[in-house]
Amino acid sequence: MDKNQDKVFVKDPNKTYGLMEIVEGTSPMVEKAPEDTVDTFPHYIILLTICSLAVTFALLLISLFFDAPLEDLANPLITPNPGKAPWYFTGIQELIHYTNKPVIPAIIIPLLIIVWLILIPYIDRKPLTPFASLFNRIFIGGEKRRILIYLFTLFIFGALIFTIIGSLFRGENWSFVLPWK
Amino acid sequence: MDDKTPVEKKPISRRRLIAYAWIGAAAIVIGELIFGTFAFLWPRRKGTKVETVFIVGKVTDFKVGEVIPFRKERTFILRTEGGFLAMSAICPHLRCIVNWNEVLKKFECPCHGVKFNRNGEVLEGPPPRPLDLYKLQIVAGNVVVDRVSPIERRKFESSQVIKI
Amino acid sequence: MKKRILQRISDSAVWRSIFRTGIPDTDLKRSMLMFHNFFLHIFPVKMKRHGLQFSYTFCLGGISCLLFIVLTITGILLMFHYTPSIERAYFDMQALALIFNGKILRNLHRWAAHGMVVTVFLHMVRVFYTRSYRPPREFNWVIGIGLLILTLALSYTGYLLPWDQLAYWGITVGTTIMTYTPFIGNYVRFFLLGADEVGHEALLRFYVVHCVELPLIIGALMAVHFWRVRKDGGISGLL
Ligand code: HEM
Ligand code: FES
């Protein structure tokens, strides 16, 4: 055995590299690649399958037990009371009812939010000029992006709260009601 | 490299011209496609629509101070001491249908909770203006309303009431 | 014995003509499996280990995509029983209850649509908090915003199709809001509805937009989105 190994591991004095060891394996990959990667098949494919099946199954269960609503035939002469937008717009509807200028909550605010969202990756980057640095400090709050996180969290919770109020706490004629009563 | 040769010193080279022509042609074609698509999708205004004129009833049928809703026509008729007022039931805010609350003597909108007084003026809530008016006429003792175009107003004035 | 049968099948000429690779028992064959399959080749052959970590992505983008696929399948099936006309739409919806699996399909389509709005939004929230929008991923974030808006638009146009009270008044109010846009408001509403009021023209327009236009656009944008995730080196690293 020793003799055999000697034959494999001959050291060539002219070369800076040489064969060091033979390991068991199904491919010329050692245990860990420099980037710490794994094979997509099977590691990821299994995850994907489990996740897809779980979501589909949950969806099937929900659909078995809860029926999608279908109200009366559309009637242009009678507005249901309360007349509500789909739940993802009830937040805007709630805002609309505070003001007599619907253009502000319904058009201007959403547009500004979209523009702000689009701009986020373009202002949260390493500042190269003094101006960019100032800009960054005002809108992002430095490397830890304190201000940006604060604003974004505010946006999320604002949207959440108004949506919940609009869809659950509003009854006839958009007056305040408690959903459990 | 070419611009140093004397030929290229002309204001515009032949190549340039042809390139511009191509770009121009492409712009025209694309513009036409976009414009054409929009024009194709632009809705046709339908000609004669449903009958807009309707007879509300006899003048003598109404009691002073009454508000009568006409559901099918989406109209409210208000009988004041001096005469009549025809108001559209379509909320000037976002076009929900307003209801008349006989107990509170107010118009209420189910969508964003506005309340109007009996003359159609906003008491509380978001709408930008009072309920719109329709043209009302009194023909041989009958009250006739034409809904062809709603009249927007800033506030209630007694001149809006059609005298008997 | 079992192994032998599998081996025989996967070595057969027919199998090989379809799948090329045999049983993926070596790393080479596993790579080939990913690489030579049309549906799998959108994935890389190898992935960064932390990209598979559930607590980083919560699979929200993937779930959004899955829900979109569910919506496409159920939506196409529902189209077989739906007529976009104000005389028939509502009654077609009612009649679904009489059709085998009709109700389930409608429920699936409805709940998956609501679910997709939720997961797409949460996906955006996760991308924000992991700060995954930083270069080179800025533009993929912008594409994502486009996808979010399109998802809402898809959900909203579908809302009119059952032609019930909810649908009618939801669309009436929503499109009237647009009339408050300065200068072009009334034209936008007229163009969207195809008339001055929500009616047959509006139903037809929303139907085409909901069933054809928006799914095509969102599908194309999703392809670009995934392509860029891969080109940018997969899921972003941990903070
Ligand atoms: C139809 C909607 C969408 C689908 C189907 C979708 C799908 C995906 C998928 C499958 C990934 C891989 C990682 C993961 O699952 O989290 C991903 C990553 C990403 N998505 Fe989306 N997405 C959608 C909407 C959005 C939105 C609304 C945003 C943000 C505004 C966004 C921004 C991003 C970014 C920046 C990445 C890269 C994240 C990273 O590298 O960590 N996407 N998307
Ligand atoms: S539609 Fe009447 S209050 Fe908004």
Side-chain angles (χ1 to χ4, degrees), chain B residues 17 61 69 73 78 99 117-118 124 151 159:
Chain B
L17 184 71
D61 291 348
E73 287 82 9
L78 166 67
N99 297 313
N117 68 13
R118 105 183 20 239
E124 58 169 279
I151 306 154
S159 62

Side-chain angles (χ1 to χ4, degrees), chain B:
Chain B
M1 315 176 280
D2 290 336
D3 14 21
K4 298 233 160 64
T5 57
V7 186
E8 295 295 325
K9 274 188 184 153
K10 281 185 194 167
I12 188 164
S13 76
R14 200 171 53 163
R15 273 169 196 236
R16 273 275 168 93
L17 184 71
I18 292 176
Y20 284 149
W22 274 114
I23 294 171
I28 289 173
V29 170
I30 291 171
E32 200 168 76
L33 283 179
I34 294 174
F35 174 79
T37 311
F38 263 94
F40 173 77
L41 290 177
W42 194 257
R44 223 156 31 98
R45 279 217 184 265
K46 298 279 181 327
T48 45
K49 278 197 285 187
V50 275
E51 188 58 60
T52 56
V53 181
F54 75 106
I55 300 174
V56 174
K58 291 219 160 52
V59 173
T60 47
D61 291 348
F62 296 90
K63 279 193 265 130
V64 169
E66 233 179 2
V67 173
I68 308 281
F70 287 79
R71 275 230 171 270
K72 211 166 120 267
E73 287 82 9
R74 294 189 275 186
T75 307
F76 290 109
I77 304 295
L78 166 67
R79 171 72 158 102
T80 62
E81 276 117 66
F84 285 92
L85 204 63
M87 284 180 286
S88 161
I90 299 174
C91 184
H93 184 223
L94 297 176
R95 302 183 69 107
C96 287
I97 301 294
V98 171
N99 297 313
W100 169 247
N101 187 329
E102 188 57 47
V103 182
L104 298 176
K105 304 281 177 207
K106 279 177 193 167
F107 294 102
E108 291 172 341
C109 181
C111 288
H112 310 95
V114 64
K115 311 247 186 311
F116 302 92
N117 68 13
R118 105 183 20 239
N119 292 327
E121 289 175 303
V122 181
L123 294 175
E124 58 169 279
R129 56 171 198 270
L131 290 174
D132 293 342
L133 294 181
Y134 284 137
K135 221 164 98 190
L136 185 143
Q137 273 175 318
I138 293 173
V139 183
N142 284 321
V143 181
V144 180
V145 170
D146 186 356
R147 292 178 298 139
V148 72
S149 53
I151 306 154
E152 296 179 9
R153 54 180 175 161
R154 301 271 288 294
K155 61 178 199 290
F156 173 73
E157 282 157 22
S158 51
S159 62
Q160 291 163 349
V161 177
I162 308 296
K163 305 274 179 324
I164 309 169

Side-chain angles (χ1 to χ4, degrees), chain A residues 102-104 106-108 111, chain C residues 174-189:
Chain A
V103 68
I104 296 172
I107 312 254
I108 296 177
L111 274 184
Chain C
T175 50
T176 309
I177 287 174
M178 292 168 197
T179 60
Y180 287 91
T181 317
F183 310 119
I184 54 166
N186 284 317
Y187 296 106
V188 172
R189 181 171 196 266

Side-chain angles (χ1 to χ4, degrees), chain A residues 44 117, chain C residues 51 56-66 68 116 119-121 123-128 130-134 137-149 151 218 222 225-226 229 232-237:
Chain A
Y44 175 71
L117 283 175
Chain C
Y56 187 71
T57 62
F58 298 99
C59 293
L60 285 165
I63 293 175
S64 310
C65 181
L66 174 72
F68 181 72
M116 188 170 161
T119 56
V120 170
F121 192 79
H123 173 59
M124 179 183 81
V125 174
R126 140 12 224 169
V127 170
F128 175 81
T130 59
R131 214 179 192 183
S132 304
Y133 52 76
R134 296 204 107 189
R137 296 183 176 79
E138 313 103 299
F139 196 66
N140 220 11
W141 166 272
V142 177
I143 292 176
I145 302 287
L147 283 170
L148 176 68
I149 296 169
T151 307
I218 216 173
M222 268 162 63
H225 194 64
F226 301 159
V229 170
D232 295 338
I235 302 304
S236 57

